[in-house]
Amino acid sequence: MTDLMLLAPEITIVVTGLVVLLAGLFMSTPSKKILAYFSTLGCIIALVLTINSLGTSATLFSGTLGINALSQFFKLVFLTVTLLVSIASIKYTEGNSHTEEFYTLVLFATFGMMMVASAEDLMVLFVAFELASLATYALAGFEKQNPRSLEAAMKYFIAGALSGALLLLGISFVYGASGTTNISAVAQNADLLMSSPMGLLSVVLLIAGFGFKIALVPFHMWAPDTYQGSPSVVSALLAAGSKKMGFVAAFKVFIVALIGLQADWTIAFAILAVITMTYGNVVALSQTSVKRMLAYSSLAQAGYISMAFVVLTPMALTGGILYALSHGFMKAGAFIATAAVVYMVFKDDKKSEIPDHIDNFKGLGKRMPITALSLTIFVFALAGIPPTAGFVSKFILFSSTIESGFVWLAVIAIINSAISLYYYARVVKYMYFIPAEGERVSEPAPYVVALLIAVFGVLAIGFWPEPFVQMAMNAADVLI
Amino acid sequence: MDSFTAIVIAIFLPFVFAGFLSPLERIFKDKIGWFAAAVALVSFLLIAYVAPDIIHGEIIEHTVSWVPSAGISFSIYADGLAIMIGFIASGIGVIIMSYSNGYMSHEEELTRYYQYLLLFMGSMIGMVFSANTIQLFVFWELTSITSFMLIGYWRHKPQSVYGATKSLLITAAGGLFMLAGFLLLRTITGSFDLTAIFHDPYMIETIKGHDLFLPILILLLIGAAAKSAQGPFYIWLPNAMEAPTPVSAFLHSATMVKAGIYLIARIHPIFSGTDAWFILVSGIGISTMLLAGFLALRQTDIKAILAYSTISQLAYMMTMYGYTTYHDPGIGVAAATFHLLNHATFKACLFLVAGIVVHEAATRDIRKLGGLWREMPITFVIASIAALAMAGIPPLNGFLSKEMFYETSIEMGSLLGSPFNILIPALAVLGGVFTFAYSIKLIDGIFLGKRCDEHLPEHIHDPSAIMLIPAAFLAGLVILFGLVPSIPIHYIVEPTTSGILLETVHLHVQLWHGFTPALMMTIVTFIAGILVYSRYDNIANWQNRFNSGYPWISVNYYYDHLVDNAKEHAHRFALFTQPGGIKTYVNAMLILMIVLMIIPLFTVTTTLIPSNLNFEIPLYEGLTMLIMIVAALTAALYHKYLLAVIALSGVGYMVSLIFIYLKAPDLALTQILVETLSTIIFLLVIVKIPQTFRERIPKTVLARDLCIATAVSLTILVLLLNATQGIVPPFESISHYFIEKTLPLAGGHNIVNVIIVDFRGYDTLGEISVLCLAALGVYNLIQSREERE
């Protein structure tokens, strides 16, 4: 049974999810608030258990699941994001008769992400991937009365189903060529993959499959629509959590399993990274919906992280992995801040068409000071301005890129960062420099708590990066 | 207390108290500004505490590990240069924060204002003491952000928001270029530590000989020029004048804009002494000096005049740092340093005077001012001292450093030979002439001439002592440095120069140094300056005409177009690439996949379809396939739901037949069940909706979709054909394992049962939980339905 104890965080999450689902059946709507607190508690316990198990490494279930520095690091990312989301959602789901479904879906999605982080077998990885995807499809359409939310879910689902098919096809090619679905065994059979046209095809298919989750251009098209239409807390989960799941899966599949085909996929990732970051930053310039702007900004951020696939040195991977954690805090925080604003707008005007329009952020510094200050920190962090988590991770990633001789790539990335300053600064400009329209609004405690935790994370990594860098380094060591 | 601790406290004290300012506001109320000034004073005293050691030639170095895994440390390096800028930052900080008590009205959000000022001051001090380039960059960007916040402080004015955004975009982006330079520098040196490079002559030689030398230098200079408003990057500074005037005095004349000059001085030991250094640094310097000086003549806003003059004066320093390649570096560096110090005194003083004028006369337009000397005699005297120092009139400090500038220009010119021996001094004099003209304009326009009664309030008087004393103090320094130059030279300029050049330097500067060629140039400057001043309005008018005639000859024109157009083009691009329909998204993905799959196939095999295909298709299989195709076509083409659904399920049943042919009866059974179930569900839904549907699909769309569908199916066909080729599974079937082990390991005779409950126990458990979940879901559905009813 010691084996099962290694999965204690996952079990906690699943059990919490089931208990919430079950308990919700017998509770009246107003008392369902307890479920939100209960889920939050479950996340905290799982988080503590994960932190506790940071040093361990083991394989379970005949080598299909692995516990190591990489898996635990990403579980940490997922659990923090889920924690932030579930705290913020206490307010969002208040008075909603579907509270238990919301939390169960969030927890199941998290469980799926955690299993992806641990998966050592392509089939387990795919199933876990789909578990997380299915739960998030439903979450995106959680506001059943809101056509935008439904549109978001529909687009996400259709594009997701297509990419899921591509992913599975890719996995079956890998299996067909190498005769195994075990990730490390695939790496040992690299010569079989390289000698067969199936190898190259599977690379293409897998990039498309993961590229959808990561939202690499041109597989990104669902992302802006979905992030904008979904409830903001769900967008936080999608951008900060589910996107990282795509990364950890891609890290494992490409860098471990398909390392033999490195020459092919590094070129692909180099092109995709450049296109993605440039496209994301350029298109973000003109957005008037803040959530849509954040969606394009996460395209750009995904482009930066993808540089790790190109450089492929331990330090670059450290940067990429640390970026995943930092981005988790920054993006989840930014979306939760937006959620607080949307909440405020709806209080005034139930019929608001685009509640996250940048005009609603005017004078936010006066109206919602904590939200405004936190959002300022998040967007500056996203822009990579020191001393924030965004700067540290960007710095490690870019400097290792330059050190490995990819000066052109780093220069493109830095120019991109400079472009991105414009639209990030615009949000700050609206919040602080443009006079407020409306009175001061009391900020709901759950949002404030979630925001402060995220701010703490962003600044902690910014001011004292060493322990986090070490953790990311250990995680990177698992890959190379 | 050791020096290191003192410096660290000097840096972080402002940060800490900036954080505590909000709660402290309750105690201090509107006296909070005095408290902030006291914090600045403590920082100043702490730097003063360290200063004597530095003046005696010591250098304080201390490193604390910060992010060792990335090679970043928190390193303090205190030499003369750092101490001088540290002094200016904290000293002027004290003056500005005291002055603000009189300037800022009590209705303003004072806490926010002083918070930003303290944060800025801490960042500036932190920057100059940084030995680690990354630490330097961190503080550098912090100064950009606080400057952004302060320029936009008066949020109700659109111009200040424009100015704030512009300054952030240019300075912070410039900072990123600097970072790129530092990162590249590290690829050569392997260290982020600047001091490690200084103390290693061999390393400096390596850098100078390296291919990356020029790219690094250019990147760092872009950062410096953006921050110090040099070259084409000057455009942000005039717009930054929308900040409250004390902020302009502090950030945009005395300290923050000196950061770029500081960077040039800091990297001087590494990069100087090369042609590239001279051409780039002096080239940017001379051109900016002339351009900004000339443009200053056109300005009517007194703060704009001061802004252009700041740009031009900073360019003097750039120019002199660039000269060191050829002649004795001691003179150029010392002259630049002395001028930096002098400029901080007289320009900050002029800004404070501008603040007083705005405060009392309520306008900054020089055309509406005039004749104020009668009403504001003390302000007039202070302003005259500072402006005359800027014009280079003896015995004020500006005269001395300008003389030194002329001296270095003459020497530089003569070293380069004809025609530079005339050209360089001539350009220097021209810069001086512009400076002289606008300096006189400031005094003449504000204090002398006729009072424009219709634009001015009736009673104007000297301000309160709170605002007068800081300005008077700075004017006092202007005179002191001019009359007794040995004080600043000995205590500030010499240590600074030694810090920059890494060797001990002794300088002799006297107020009267005989009839030197430099003095002749000064006299020429004065005469030409008076001539230019007599034609002042003509020049300004000519510039206005030129500007309206050729609006595209201006950097601002391009900046505005770039920013505006970027947004517009990005908007159109976004609409084009993201039209919104899910069909477009799926089409894009499919087309891309086809292309991406065909390319690798072509690279691996020349023929798409393998030549050695060997299929034996029995008649019944072929027939099944044919029925499947017909059924699929029926489903796609018929306009009745019922028929379409039945045809679709027909496809499914045929698939289950194929499973049976392939000897997989369990799979076939499942398939039949699923098909039946989904057909029933479909039928149940169809009852509720109209029975027929008729879509109007344009021919072009139909053709496009047909092409894509055909292409996708062809690609899949090719893939499958290829996939069946020559893959020999490198493993054996596991069925033997189960047959052998079922009885000995699990003690069961029914292999299937054993597999389900034993070998794959976890699978079964998982399946059971899935069923439970499904049951829960159904129960929940029913429950929520009751609730709704």
Side-chain angles (χ1 to χ4, degrees):
Chain A
M1 284 316 278
T2 46
D3 273 0
L4 269 183
M5 282 314 291
L6 291 169
L7 290 179
E10 282 89 339
I11 293 170
T12 315
I13 290 291
V14 172
V15 169
T16 315
L18 289 175
V19 169
V20 167
L21 187 60
L22 212 64
L25 292 176
F26 309 103
M27 290 169 89
S28 65
T29 304
S31 58
K32 281 181 180 170
K33 208 171 179 182
I34 295 173
L35 298 176
Y37 290 109
F38 184 74
S39 310
T40 310
L41 182 72
C43 289
I44 295 173
I45 294 172
L47 197 61
V48 172
L49 287 169
T50 310
I51 293 172
N52 227 6
S53 67
L54 270 179
T56 44
S57 82
T59 53
L60 303 169
F61 300 113
S62 327
T64 53
L65 287 183
I67 306 290
N68 48 43
L70 180 74
S71 73
Q72 299 313 88
F73 186 90
F74 271 93
K75 281 177 199 171
L76 215 61
V77 176
F78 301 141
L79 286 170
T80 3
V81 171
T82 309
L83 180 65
L84 293 174
V85 169
S86 63
I87 294 176
S89 303
I90 293 174
K91 189 73 198 171
Y92 171 70
T93 55
E94 197 180 52
N96 191 322
S97 60
H98 300 285
T99 305
E100 76 274 22
E101 286 158 37
F102 182 87
Y103 275 99
T104 308
L105 287 170
V106 168
L107 291 168
F108 285 179
T110 313
F111 173 66
M113 295 176 202
M114 292 167 78
M115 290 303 275
V116 169
S118 268
E120 291 292 319
D121 187 281
L122 292 175
M123 280 325 287
V124 176
L125 189 132
F126 177 74
V127 171
F129 206 83
E130 284 300 296
L131 169 60
S133 301
L134 286 170
T136 46
Y137 298 149
L139 280 171
F142 188 70
E143 289 175 6
K144 280 186 277 185
Q145 308 297 327
N146 179 354
R148 281 178 182 277
S149 174
L150 292 181
E151 184 193 335
M154 199 61 200
K155 283 182 175 169
Y156 184 30
F157 173 66
I158 292 179
L162 179 63
S163 74
L166 297 176
L167 189 60
L168 194 58
L169 199 57
I171 290 176
S172 51
F173 279 154
V174 172
Y175 172 69
S178 68
T180 173
T181 54
N182 187 291
I183 287 176
S184 43
V186 172
Q188 284 157 16
N189 292 351
D191 48 330
L192 284 172
L193 268 170
M194 287 163 77
S195 59
S196 152
M198 292 302 114
L200 215 51
L201 278 174
S202 59
V203 165
V204 172
L205 288 162
L206 289 170
I207 287 182
F210 293 130
F212 164 78
K213 255 290 149 349
I214 300 173
L216 290 177
V217 176
F219 310 106
H220 70 284
M221 290 175 137
W222 61 278
D225 294 350
T226 303
Y227 289 2
Q228 188 188 0
S230 309
S232 303
V233 279
V234 176
S235 313
L237 186 71
L238 289 177
S242 141
K243 188 182 271 252
K244 306 299 135 44
M245 172 181 79
F247 270 111
V248 68
F251 278 139
K252 281 169 180 250
V253 170
F254 289 107
I255 299 176
V256 180
L258 301 179
I259 192 71
L261 296 160
Q262 184 194 344
D264 301 315
W265 54 256
T266 40
I267 297 173
F269 272 109
I271 297 169
L272 291 178
V274 169
I275 297 177
T276 305
M277 67 177 86
T278 314
Y279 179 82
N281 279 324
V282 168
V283 175
L285 288 177
S286 70
Q287 300 304 324
T288 49
S289 150
V290 171
K291 274 161 81 179
R292 211 175 166 78
M293 185 276 277
L294 287 174
Y296 283 112
S297 115
S298 35
L299 288 191
Q301 310 276 335
Y304 300 141
I305 303 180
S306 303
M307 287 163 59
F309 289 101
V310 183
V311 183
L312 222 59
T313 59
M315 209 56 203
L317 286 172
T318 305
I321 291 169
L322 185 65
Y323 210 129
L325 178 66
S326 312
H327 188 249
F329 279 118
M330 308 185 287
K331 226 357 128 19
F335 271 117
I336 289 170
T338 317
V341 175
V342 169
Y343 166 83
M344 176 197 79
V345 171
F346 275 136
K347 235 167 76 171
D348 293 349
D349 170 20
K350 285 250 165 6
K351 299 218 163 26
S352 178
E353 273 283 301
I354 308 175
D356 60 324
H357 195 278
I358 184 115
D359 284 340
N360 293 331
F361 286 71
K362 278 182 188 166
L364 205 66
K366 273 231 187 286
R367 301 190 68 188
M368 306 175 84
I370 302 175
T371 311
L373 182 65
S374 320
L375 187 55
T376 306
I377 293 172
F378 299 138
V379 293
F380 276 141
L382 286 167
I385 285 174
T388 57
F391 167 68
V392 174
S393 12
K394 241 182 208 171
F395 169 76
I396 294 177
L397 195 54
F398 292 4
S399 65
S400 56
T401 306
I402 286 183
E403 262 165 48
S404 322
F406 291 94
V407 178
W408 60 274
L409 187 58
V411 167
I412 292 175
I414 289 174
I415 291 174
N416 260 295
S417 301
I419 296 175
S420 73
L421 256 179
Y422 177 77
Y423 58 84
Y424 292 127
R426 202 161 64 118
V427 179
V428 179
K429 182 177 100 177
Y430 269 77
M431 290 194 299
Y432 283 100
F433 295 161
I434 296 189
E437 291 168 2
E439 286 306 296
R440 187 170 169 161
V441 184
S442 70
E443 292 158 282
Y447 288 129
V448 171
V449 172
L451 286 174
L452 291 182
I453 295 175
V455 166
F456 176 78
V458 168
L459 294 182
I461 302 177
F463 278 105
W464 198 245
E466 187 57 20
F468 300 96
V469 177
Q470 280 298 342
M471 266 159 63
M473 269 181 150
N474 294 338
D477 281 345
V478 176
L479 291 172
I480 290 191
Chain B
M1 183 164 56
D2 65 345
S3 313
F4 173 70
T5 326
I7 293 172
V8 170
I9 296 175
I11 296 171
F12 289 105
L13 200 69
F15 283 98
V16 172
F17 278 102
F20 284 118
L21 224 47
S22 298
L24 286 170
E25 196 193 11
R26 295 205 188 108
I27 306 168
F28 288 94
K29 304 254 161 43
D30 44 6
K31 297 275 180 289
I32 190 82
W34 293 111
F35 177 77
V39 174
L41 186 65
V42 175
S43 281
F44 180 81
L45 292 176
L46 282 166
I47 296 172
Y49 171 80
V50 181
D53 292 344
I54 310 283
I55 291 168
H56 289 122
E58 262 182 61
I59 285 174
I60 297 162
E61 284 183 78
H62 198 91
T63 296
V64 179
S65 164
W66 186 16
V67 198
S69 44
I72 308 173
S73 55
F74 181 83
S75 308
I76 293 292
Y77 180 78
D79 62 351
L81 177 64
I83 287 285
M84 176 179 74
I85 313 254
F87 263 142
I88 295 177
S90 55
I92 306 243
V94 177
I95 293 172
I96 294 299
M97 286 183 220
S98 314
Y99 175 91
S100 297
N101 284 299
Y103 185 83
M104 301 301 283
S105 102
H106 295 317
E107 279 95 71
E108 309 266 358
E109 290 171 76
L110 288 179
T111 318
R112 193 162 65 98
Y113 174 78
Y114 288 108
Q115 256 171 353
Y116 295 154
L117 279 184
L118 281 178
L119 285 177
F120 165 75
M121 198 185 83
S123 320
M124 189 74 200
I125 300 175
M127 190 197 78
V128 294
F129 286 109
S130 298
N132 190 285
T133 47
I134 300 310
Q135 180 194 346
L136 192 153
F137 169 77
V138 169
F139 283 119
W140 176 283
E141 293 294 61
L142 277 178
T143 61
S144 295
I145 293 173
T146 41
S147 151
F148 165 69
M149 292 306 217
L150 280 167
I151 297 170
Y153 177 75
W154 279 326
R155 50 177 70 145
H156 50 272
K157 293 200 289 186
Q159 310 95 299
S160 68
V161 176
Y162 171 80
T165 317
K166 198 174 186 179
S167 80
L168 183 72
L169 286 183
I170 294 177
T171 55
L176 286 175
F177 281 96
M178 181 185 79
L179 178 66
F182 285 146
L183 290 176
L184 279 181
L185 188 61
R186 194 211 188 186
T187 57
I188 306 178
T189 63
S191 162
F192 287 125
D193 219 347
L194 275 177
T195 51
I197 305 171
F198 292 163
H199 300 314
D200 188 351
Y202 172 74
M203 186 69 87
I204 294 177
E205 282 311 304
T206 320
I207 295 170
K208 281 182 180 162
H210 201 279
D211 288 342
L212 285 173
F213 175 81
L214 198 58
I216 295 174
L217 179 60
I218 290 173
L219 286 170
L220 294 180
L221 286 182
I222 289 176
K227 196 82 166 177
S228 285
Q230 297 295 296
F233 305 111
Y234 80 87
I235 53 169
W236 70 266
L237 193 58
N239 290 104
M241 291 299 126
E242 294 302 331
T245 307
V247 172
S248 311
F250 191 23
L251 273 71
H252 307 125
S253 80
T255 51
M256 189 185 101
V257 288
K258 301 272 164 64
I261 304 297
Y262 164 81
L263 182 70
I264 304 271
R266 192 39 99 210
I267 59 171
H268 187 274
I270 307 174
F271 293 92
S272 67
T274 55
D275 288 345
W277 175 265
F278 167 67
I279 293 166
L280 287 170
V281 179
S282 294
I284 296 172
I286 291 179
S287 49
T288 313
M289 171 183 80
L290 294 175
L291 179 75
F294 183 62
L295 289 177
L297 302 181
R298 184 189 153 206
Q299 307 304 321
T300 52
D301 177 347
I302 46 179
K303 281 182 78 179
I305 299 178
L306 291 177
Y308 279 99
S309 118
T310 304
I311 299 166
S312 169
Q313 300 287 315
L314 292 170
Y316 278 60
M317 301 163 209
M318 285 280 277
T319 312
M320 289 187 267
Y321 281 124
Y323 282 167
T324 54
T325 294
Y326 293 111
H327 68 59
D328 176 14
I331 307 169
V333 169
T337 310
F338 193 32
H339 196 60
L340 194 158
L341 179 67
N342 295 340
H343 178 254
T345 56
F346 64 68
K347 189 52 70 59
C349 180
L350 279 172
F351 267 107
L352 296 188
V353 168
I356 292 173
V357 170
V358 175
H359 199 255
E360 302 300 326
T363 179
R364 292 185 342 212
D365 194 328
I366 204 155
R367 289 167 303 188
K368 297 179 183 169
L369 293 159
L372 293 183
W373 72 274
R374 258 181 261 272
E375 288 152 287
M376 315 172 81
I378 308 175
T379 315
F380 169 61
V381 172
I382 295 170
S384 306
I385 293 168
L388 291 178
M390 181 157 78
I393 308 272
L396 303 166
N397 61 3
F399 165 71
L400 290 172
S401 45
K402 193 149 301 169
E403 287 277 278
M404 287 163 85
F405 173 57
Y406 285 159
E407 217 177 292
T408 52
S409 297
I410 293 167
E411 199 173 326
M412 192 66 229
S414 60
L415 276 169
L416 288 178
S418 175
F420 294 102
N421 55 356
I422 305 293
L423 188 64
I424 289 185
L427 291 178
V429 168
L430 190 58
V433 169
F434 291 143
T435 312
F436 184 85
Y438 61 68
S439 304
I440 301 302
K441 177 73 184 173
L442 278 174
I443 303 176
D444 192 22
I446 302 173
F447 296 102
L448 305 176
K450 209 174 140 285
R451 192 181 195 277
C452 298
D453 290 322
E454 69 269 30
H455 296 297
L456 295 173
E458 268 184 39
H459 297 291
I460 296 178
H461 49 80
D462 272 322
S464 63
I466 297 175
M467 289 168 78
L468 218 44
I469 290 173
F473 177 75
L474 287 171
L477 285 183
V478 168
I479 300 173
L480 179 75
F481 288 177
L483 288 177
V484 199
S486 60
I487 296 176
I489 291 291
H490 181 66
Y491 290 106
I492 300 175
V493 178
E494 273 182 7
T496 307
T497 314
S498 313
I500 298 171
L501 298 176
L502 305 175
E503 61 193 20
T504 318
V505 179
H506 290 291
L507 299 163
H508 299 284
V509 178
Q510 282 173 317
L511 186 55
W512 174 252
H513 38 264
F515 283 105
T516 55
L519 191 64
M520 296 300 153
M521 283 165 74
T522 305
I523 294 166
V524 172
T525 307
F526 292 161
I527 296 167
I530 293 167
L531 281 176
V532 167
Y533 187 69
S534 66
R535 316 288 282 161
Y536 199 95
D537 292 337
N538 298 20
I539 296 171
N541 287 338
W542 181 82
Q543 282 197 43
N544 286 334
R545 276 202 305 279
F546 182 83
N547 198 42
S548 49
Y550 309 91
W552 65 87
I553 306 186
S554 121
V555 189
N556 271 315
Y557 176 85
Y558 292 101
Y559 170 85
D560 289 336
H561 271 245
L562 189 71
V563 171
D564 293 346
N565 284 353
K567 246 171 96 176
E568 204 176 296
H569 286 304
H571 183 63
R572 254 183 275 145
F573 184 61
L575 282 184
F576 171 71
T577 51
Q578 193 98 37
I582 180 75
K583 216 170 176 179
T584 352
Y585 301 178
V586 173
N587 281 345
M589 271 179 89
L590 287 175
I591 293 171
L592 191 86
M593 284 317 300
I594 295 169
V595 174
L596 284 181
M597 284 198 264
I598 295 299
I599 292 172
L601 264 186
F602 265 120
T603 56
V604 184
T605 57
T606 44
T607 51
L608 278 182
I609 298 170
S611 49
N612 54 343
L613 284 178
N614 181 21
F615 285 133
E616 281 179 28
I617 304 174
L619 186 64
Y620 54 92
E621 273 188 26
L623 218 59
T624 317
M625 303 270 186
L626 201 69
I627 296 172
M628 220 149 79
I629 293 169
V630 172
L633 283 175
T634 314
L637 295 178
Y638 256 83
H639 292 301
K640 284 208 161 93
Y641 280 120
L642 195 65
L643 257 177
V645 167
I646 291 172
L648 197 65
S649 61
V651 177
Y653 289 123
M654 292 302 118
V655 172
S656 62
L657 260 184
I658 289 178
F659 285 147
I660 292 174
Y661 299 153
L662 295 174
K663 298 184 186 76
D666 49 343
L667 214 55
L669 219 60
T670 319
Q671 175 78 12
I672 289 172
L673 276 177
V674 170
E675 275 310 323
T676 315
L677 199 66
S678 51
T679 311
I680 291 170
I681 294 173
F682 264 131
L683 290 177
L684 285 177
V685 175
I686 287 170
V687 175
K688 304 264 180 193
I689 55 172
Q691 297 297 303
T692 57
F693 59 94
R694 201 162 278 280
E695 260 188 294
R696 287 260 160 263
I697 304 171
K699 285 253 159 48
T700 46
V701 175
L702 199 67
R704 184 198 67 188
D705 290 356
L706 211 63
C707 284
I708 293 173
T710 319
V712 169
S713 40
L714 280 179
T715 314
I716 297 294
L717 178 71
V718 171
L719 279 185
L720 286 177
L721 290 179
N722 277 283
T724 51
Q725 293 305 299
I727 298 168
V728 185
F731 57 90
E732 282 180 16
S733 161
I734 56 165
S735 49
H736 305 290
Y737 172 86
F738 288 128
I739 293 169
E740 282 165 22
K741 305 284 179 178
T742 298
L743 195 57
L745 284 183
H749 289 282
N750 185 329
I751 297 175
V752 176
N753 279 355
V754 167
I755 289 175
I756 290 175
V757 299
D758 202 319
F759 287 122
R760 295 192 160 186
Y762 280 128
D763 276 13
T764 313
L765 183 72
E767 278 166 26
I768 292 169
S769 18
V770 169
L771 282 178
C772 289
L773 266 181
L776 265 179
V778 170
Y779 182 78
N780 204 352
L781 269 178
I782 297 168
Q783 189 86 355
S784 64
R785 191 171 170 178
E786 277 168 6
E787 210 169 276
R788 225 176 295 138
E789 280 163 1

